[in-house]
Amino acid sequence: MSINLPSHVFAGSPLTSKSSNPGNPFSPTAGLETIKASLSDNKQSACSSNFKVLLFNCGRPLASSISVSVDSPPVWNLGWISLDDLIRLLESTGVQLSGDQFVYLGSRADDNVVYWAIDVSAERSLVPLLRSKQFCFVELRTLMVATDWADLQAMGNLAIAGHARALLEWHNLSRFCGHCGEKTLPIDAGRRKQCSNESCKKKIYPRVDPVVIMLVIDRENDRALLSKQSRFIPRMWSCLAGFIEPGESLEEAVRRETWEETGIEVGEVAYHSSQPWPVGPSSMPYQLMIGFFACAKSLEINVDKKELEDAKWHSRENV
Ligand SMILES: [Zn+2]
């Protein structure tokens, strides 16, 4: 039952991490030192022109749009700013950023550009200035819908933005150590954190929240079970999905969630594919969607109205 699809949205980032060898000026730690030196001197260095930064405001990446023709909708691009331009921007506004606010994203295989992200939600004065330069902060979900999914370069950029948002939101939600309650500090160019308490020093790693998402199938009648939530727009139906509980396998989570939400019993469960999902609720911005086909063993639907507005069998034609 496997299907070969190209990468899903938010997967397939073209960035990889450069060697951590301290001699490599484009490594995460050497790169961060360059940023810190550039910020403290307010001047450019040999490498800083190779650094590009993506700014985020309340989970939204900076973007710009261009009109290709009067007949077609505008094309969105991520608003990458070179470190040199960012420093000039900071000078003109008096905003001071710390090097530790930058998180390393990686480099492309074919150039020596190093990509970084930073959350500037607290720096209110930057927003009007960026707007005057034709930039604005746009919801990632809006960019996802506005992107041409056949455009591999645009999809790669979307994956980078998704990675950046997940990492920055993880920083926002892991400010304190879960073991001793002290503040955590970023290390390894923002790719890890560590507790600031000398007697604890617990290292904290970025996490993802796995979510199962399943297309429940009635094989005999060639139908699929789709559900609707009250927040959905009219005529929108979706696969069932849910979180995995401790002590549960993925297959068990698929069966339990389907049973709890719709009263349908599931037999065979087959893996389909997975994708990062950095556009979930702000309390859970770094999900990994793990997709399955699930074969129904019973057909009578009994909707849990606390979870869903409705659930119905849909024919192949209807879908
Ligand atoms: Zn601690």
Side-chain angles (χ1 to χ4, degrees), residues 37-287:
S38 303
L39 289 173
S40 65
D41 301 348
N42 271 358
K43 65 179 188 212
Q44 300 151 18
S45 71
C47 298
S48 60
S49 57
N50 288 53
F51 289 8
K52 285 189 179 175
V53 186
L54 187 60
L55 276 56
F56 278 74
N57 181 20
C58 301
R60 299 171 181 160
L62 194 63
S64 65
S65 69
I66 48 163
S67 290
V68 182
S69 74
V70 284
D71 303 324
S72 53
V75 176
W76 287 95
N77 288 305
L78 290 179
W80 289 108
I81 296 180
S82 74
L83 181 61
D84 295 346
D85 284 346
L86 181 60
I87 287 170
R88 277 192 283 272
L89 203 69
L90 296 175
E91 269 180 326
S92 68
T93 53
V95 169
Q96 300 223 325
L97 297 176
S98 140
D100 283 330
Q101 289 174 263
F102 288 76
V103 298
Y104 174 87
L105 300 176
S107 296
R108 290 179 199 267
D110 55 358
D111 62 24
N112 266 332
V113 177
V114 188
Y115 295 86
W116 301 83
I118 185 166
D119 185 348
V120 294
S121 304
E123 314 301 343
R124 298 261 167 234
S125 58
L126 283 179
V127 175
L129 191 67
L130 290 164
R131 199 176 292 139
S132 72
K133 296 180 185 296
Q134 313 302 321
F135 286 114
C136 60
F137 292 99
V138 181
E139 287 285 353
L140 201 48
R141 204 178 259 264
T142 305
L143 289 180
M144 172 183 85
V145 176
T147 297
D148 175 1
W149 289 23
D151 181 340
L152 292 182
Q153 196 179 347
M155 292 300 276
N157 274 320
L158 209 52
I160 296 171
H163 167 203
R165 179 178 192 231
L167 202 52
L168 289 173
E169 293 294 310
W170 170 72
H171 275 275
N172 280 335
L173 295 175
S174 57
R175 291 163 191 258
F176 298 95
C177 174
H179 291 256
C180 74
E182 278 297 319
K183 275 192 177 169
T184 56
L185 298 171
I187 55 169
D188 198 12
R191 299 186 301 168
R192 313 271 183 269
K193 296 188 96 169
Q194 189 165 27
C195 177
S196 60
N197 177 352
E198 280 299 317
S199 62
C200 175
K201 284 194 142 182
K202 172 86 182 158
K203 274 193 182 158
I204 303 157
Y205 297 86
R207 52 174 291 184
V208 291
D209 293 312
V211 175
V212 289
I213 180 162
M214 47 278 187
L215 186 68
V216 181
I217 299 166
D218 167 12
R219 268 186 169 158
E220 203 162 305
N221 301 297
D222 200 24
R223 299 182 301 178
L225 182 67
L226 297 178
S227 68
K228 203 174 160 65
Q229 293 183 27
S230 53
R231 63 185 167 85
F232 285 5
I233 54 169
R235 301 184 65 220
M236 175 175 169
W237 293 79
S238 157
C239 290
L240 297 173
F243 291 103
I244 298 141
E245 294 192 348
E248 195 172 54
S249 70
L250 298 173
E251 293 83 350
E252 285 168 332
V254 168
R255 294 191 183 101
R256 176 186 50 75
E257 282 286 342
T258 308
W259 168 255
E260 284 177 2
E261 294 190 351
T262 64
I264 300 285
E265 273 186 81
V266 163
E268 184 191 346
V269 173
Y271 175 68
H272 177 280
S273 58
S274 66
Q275 73 177 119
W277 194 242
V279 289
S282 58
S283 59
M284 247 170 247
Y286 25 78
Q287 296 171 16

